[in-house]
């Protein structure tokens, strides 16, 4: 494990943000507007983060797979990613489809 991999959290943009953005929605039903807005705000931060891939790697671990937003992906997205083959991962339409549904629900 590289030094960067050990210390990635110190470089994360979410470090000084409210952690509830990444976890708050778990107490709600996914269809609530508040839950979706929280997730959208967290994902926007993740999408600008320089350590997004290291965070996603952490989020794919069994202890984290079902909780929170890691690397800009929600649990359902990470579960799908974890179960994909290499060929499927290179087909980004799946993540776009999930994100479109999320955006449609927020709008």
């Amino acid at each position: 494990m590289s030094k960067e991999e050990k210390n990635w959290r110190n470089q994360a943009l979410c470090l000084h943000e409210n952690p509830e953005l990444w976890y708050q929605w778990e107490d709600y039903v996914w269809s609530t507007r508040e839950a979706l807005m929280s997730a959208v705000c967290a994902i926007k931060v993740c999408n600008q983060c320089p350590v997004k891939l290291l965070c996603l790697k952490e989020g794919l671990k069994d202890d984290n797979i079902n909780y929170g937003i890691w690397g800009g992906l929600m649990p359902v997205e990470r579960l799908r990613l974890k179960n994909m083959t290499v060929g499927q991962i290179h087909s980004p339409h799946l993540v776009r489809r999930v994100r479109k549904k999320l955006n449609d629900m927020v709008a």
Side-chain angles (χ1 to χ4, degrees):
M1 183 180 296
S2 72
K3 184 177 180 179
E4 180 184 9
E5 287 179 314
K6 289 179 184 175
N7 298 318
W8 68 266
R9 289 182 179 168
N10 294 331
Q11 301 169 40
L13 293 180
C14 63
L15 184 64
H16 301 292
E17 298 286 337
N18 182 349
E20 288 184 11
L21 286 177
W22 282 262
Y23 293 94
Q24 174 184 0
W25 48 268
E26 290 180 40
D27 294 333
Y28 298 96
V29 177
W30 264 107
S31 62
T32 66
R33 184 171 179 82
E34 184 178 358
L36 294 172
M37 292 304 293
S38 177
V40 168
C41 289
I43 291 167
K44 284 181 181 180
V45 173
C46 294
N47 287 339
Q48 303 299 315
C49 188
V51 292
K52 181 179 177 180
L53 292 178
L54 292 172
C55 179
L56 178 56
K57 183 178 174 182
E58 184 72 21
L60 290 169
K61 292 180 179 177
D62 289 339
D63 290 349
N64 298 324
I65 194 78
N66 292 312
Y67 305 101
I69 295 172
W70 293 83
L73 297 182
M74 296 176 288
V76 66
E77 295 172 303
R78 291 195 312 277
L79 283 166
R80 283 186 169 175
L81 181 63
K82 191 171 185 175
N83 293 319
M84 287 181 167
T85 64
V86 172
Q88 291 171 315
I89 290 172
H90 291 290
S91 178
H93 74 280
L94 177 66
V95 172
R96 273 196 306 249
R97 192 171 69 227
V98 172
R99 287 285 161 78
K100 182 180 180 333
K101 184 174 181 178
L102 177 64
N103 288 333
D104 289 347
M105 292 172 75
V106 172

